[in-house]
Amino acid sequence: MKFFIDTADLDEIREAASWGCLDGVTTNPSLFAKTGGKLEDFEPHMVKICEICEGLPVSAESTAMTTEEMIAEGKRLAGLAPNIVVKLPICAESLAATRALAAEGVRVNMTLVFGVPQAILAARAGARYISPFVGRFDDIGEDGIEQLANVVQAVHNYSYGYWDEEGGPEIISASIRTPNHVTQAALMGADIATVPMAALKKCLFHPLTKAGLESFEADWKKVTGK
Ligand code: E4P
């Protein structure tokens, strides 16, 4: 399973990239708003992320409402850098926009997906990535991991004719909040997990790793006498 970082914070992206295991970045309007950036900063900010993560997919979300606007904004965003992926929220307009953008070789990440029917529609329209949300489903008392597993199985059951040569459509486990979400996503065969920095750090930490390191250091001091 690949790791994406779910943030628009440049320092977090640089730090995650320095770990050597980063495969991509996802952003959304809320994550960009958190950076304090204004409208005129949005596209330059996306370009900076693409430069930090050269060659890795970087999702930039369109806020357009109509199919025509989504296509136009999608093409503009895709023109910012070769590694831009246009993120669209699932709806009738975005399905039509995805079909048009895919026909021109523009990769779409279909977001705000909450179940198999939406995911299959996204795949049929030509989405390169599909993002089912786990945490937000849990938030309303549903089982986000179960619906993610259903989406992974249903989408992987078929071939869609778009992005075959790249292994798409890939499922991005989104709205990931905990290391256990990451574990479950990997066990079920999800292609990608997009994880915020705080959860990524929790994935790296284990109390037994910390305790083991401390005891190795203490014992090595006995060996070196320092
Ligand atoms: C997906 O790409 C979204 O940006 C993200 O995973 C949403 O996560 P949240 O539900 O924690 O806001």
Side-chain angles (χ1 to χ4, degrees), residues 163-177:
W163 313 113
D164 285 349
E165 71 288 356
E166 297 184 5
E170 289 179 285
I171 305 299
I172 304 180
S173 319
S175 192
I176 291 288
R177 309 267 171 82

Side-chain angles (χ1 to χ4, degrees), residues 21 27 48 166:
C21 54
T27 67
K48 275 187 206 152
E166 297 184 5

Side-chain angles (χ1 to χ4, degrees), residues 58-132:
V58 173
S59 288
E61 190 158 338
S62 163
T63 50
M65 300 302 283
T66 68
T67 298
E68 290 67 30
E69 287 166 357
M70 287 176 191
I71 294 170
E73 195 176 353
K75 284 185 190 171
R76 199 176 60 249
L77 290 172
L80 293 176
N83 47 335
I84 283 278
V85 173
V86 177
K87 206 172 179 194
L88 296 176
I90 186 148
C91 57
E93 291 79 3
S94 67
L95 289 173
T98 297
R99 172 60 64 103
L101 289 167
E104 297 205 22
V106 175
R107 292 169 184 77
V108 169
N109 172 3
M110 193 66 86
T111 190
L112 287 172
V113 168
F114 288 92
V116 171
Q118 289 181 327
I120 297 292
L121 289 169
R124 292 288 307 141
R128 171 65 181 80
Y129 300 93
I130 300 167
S131 293

Side-chain angles (χ1 to χ4, degrees), residues 127-139:
R128 171 65 181 80
Y129 300 93
I130 300 167
S131 293
F133 279 39
V134 175
R136 291 192 198 186
F137 224 145
D138 289 349
D139 290 344

